[in-house]
Amino acid sequence: TRPLVPQGTECAGFTDVSNKDPDCEAITYMKSISAMTGNPDGTFAPDAKLQRDQMAKIVLKTFKRFDGLADYCNDINPFPDVNPSDWSYQYICNGKKLGMITGYLSGEDSGNYRPGKGVNRAEFLALILRNLNEPMPDNNSSSYLDVTPGQWYGGYAKFAFYQVLFMGQYLYPTRDTTRSEGAAVIYKLHQQGKL
């Protein structure tokens, strides 16, 4: 966690992000569309990993596909590990209903959503970019030096590379996405007129 910033120098009212932070504009934008509203204690936790439950909310709010008054669950649990008492319950139900989130299809987590699990960069790009109304490059495209052609996320990586969504020659696809990184990528898409 970051230290608190001096009073009066906060970014978007968050006590742990300075108004001089390079991602302040992105964080302010995400708060303005209610996609990332921070923690009850007034912090944003910019370096914390984005979790799968948070991503459900972020994507639905970013693409204006959530109505806070609607019941998307109809008393049906979307996944065995998602409960009606969870803050993210309605978001996850709606994401599943829209086909945006599937939960784990294989492996030890098969059939579950794992809401508290981190979202790596490849998963993050897929969740965001599959909602854009434009075609993605082929999965066999070459892009970042650490993305071999043919990966399931290859097309998203190529799109991200062209749009400079993650800086540099490496994507680090299995690295957890931080909250400030997620805000920065979505803000870049907004600035490019894609949202």
Side-chain angles (χ1 to χ4, degrees):
T1 58
R2 291 190 190 177
L4 300 183
V5 298
Q7 199 169 357
T9 66
E10 302 97 342
C11 171
F14 294 118
T15 56
D16 60 344
V17 184
S18 161
N19 56 16
K20 303 259 190 291
D21 189 287
D23 292 323
C24 181
E25 260 185 61
I27 290 167
T28 302
Y29 169 74
M30 293 304 284
K31 184 177 181 181
S32 76
I33 62 168
S34 301
M36 296 177 88
T37 50
N39 301 310
D41 66 359
T43 61
F44 182 76
D47 303 321
K49 69 180 179 185
L50 269 179
Q51 296 176 186
R52 290 168 59 82
D53 53 357
Q54 295 168 346
M55 274 307 296
K57 175 187 177 184
I58 289 166
V59 175
L60 290 166
K61 288 286 196 174
T62 296
F63 291 94
K64 299 175 178 66
R65 300 181 82 180
F66 187 82
D67 175 356
L69 300 176
D71 178 6
Y72 297 104
C73 301
N74 300 315
D75 293 326
I76 298 169
N77 256 25
F79 299 99
D81 60 342
V82 175
N83 302 304
S85 59
D86 296 342
W87 70 265
S88 56
Y89 182 62
Q90 291 289 338
Y91 292 105
I92 293 169
C93 285
N94 191 28
K96 184 177 183 186
K97 192 176 278 191
L98 292 169
M100 185 190 312
I101 54 179
T102 57
Y104 286 93
L105 302 177
S106 60
E108 63 181 284
D109 291 325
S110 183
N112 289 299
Y113 186 65
R114 298 293 181 246
K117 198 170 180 182
V119 176
N120 68 35
R121 286 176 160 197
E123 294 165 336
F124 173 79
L125 287 175
L127 282 165
I128 295 296
L129 299 180
R130 70 172 59 131
N131 287 283
L132 290 186
N133 288 327
E134 54 186 276
M136 288 292 127
D138 187 273
N139 278 349
N140 291 315
S141 306
S142 55
S143 58
Y144 295 97
L145 296 177
D146 56 353
V147 178
T148 52
Q151 297 289 332
W152 68 268
Y153 55 86
Y156 301 123
K158 179 71 165 190
F159 183 88
F161 186 73
Y162 272 150
Q163 305 300 329
V164 197
L165 299 183
F166 285 109
M167 303 293 285
Q169 296 294 310
Y170 294 90
L171 176 60
Y172 305 107
T174 59
R175 179 187 287 175
D176 282 330
T177 310
T178 67
R179 289 171 54 77
S180 63
E181 282 173 342
V185 166
I186 293 170
Y187 186 57
K188 281 181 188 173
L189 291 169
H190 166 68
Q191 287 181 304
Q192 294 166 4
K194 298 186 183 300
L195 297 179

